[in-house]
C-alpha cells in the first residue's frame, strides 16, 4: 500500500469517527457528502480502488459510504 493510500484510509477513518455517533444512515450519507465535497477526483478514485474498500473489509461505515462517493 502506498503512503498516499495509507493517508486516505487514515483521513477517511477520521471522518467516519466524527460521524459514528450519528444514526447509521445519516452517518453514511454525511461521510459520502464530506468526501464528495472536500476530496479531489483523484483522491476519491484512489480511495474507491483501495482493496479494503472494494472487498468490504474496511470500516463498515466507509464501505457503505463508498457506494455514494462520486468516481472521477
Amino acid at each position: 500500500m502506498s503512503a498516499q493510500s495509507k493517508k486516505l484510509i487514515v483521513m477517511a477513518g477520521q471522518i467516519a469517527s466524527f460521524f459514528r455517533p450519528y444514526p447509521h444512515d445519516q452517518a453514511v450519507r454525511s461521510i459520502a457528502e464530506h468526501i464528495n465535497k472536500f476530496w479531489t477526483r483523484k483522491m476519491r478514485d484512489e480511495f474507491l480502488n483501495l482493496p479494503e474498500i472494494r472487498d468490504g473489509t474496511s470500516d463498515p461505515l466507509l464501505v457503505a459510504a463508498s457506494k455514494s462517493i462520486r468516481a472521477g
Side-chain angles (χ1 to χ4, degrees), residues 15-68:
I15 296 165
S17 291
F18 178 83
F19 289 111
R20 194 169 310 285
Y22 289 59
H24 184 269
D25 290 345
Q26 184 180 359
V28 168
R29 186 173 50 254
S30 297
I31 292 165
E33 287 173 359
H34 181 90
I35 290 174
N36 284 327
K37 184 174 182 178
F38 295 107
W39 287 20
T40 66
R41 178 180 299 159
K42 182 179 176 186
M43 291 168 71
R44 293 190 312 264
D45 285 347
E46 188 169 344
F47 176 75
L48 292 172
N49 286 310
L50 291 171
E52 53 266 71
I53 296 299
R54 290 183 4 185
D55 67 16
T57 58
S58 187
D59 181 319
L61 285 176
L62 294 178
V63 172
S66 71
K67 295 168 180 44
S68 297

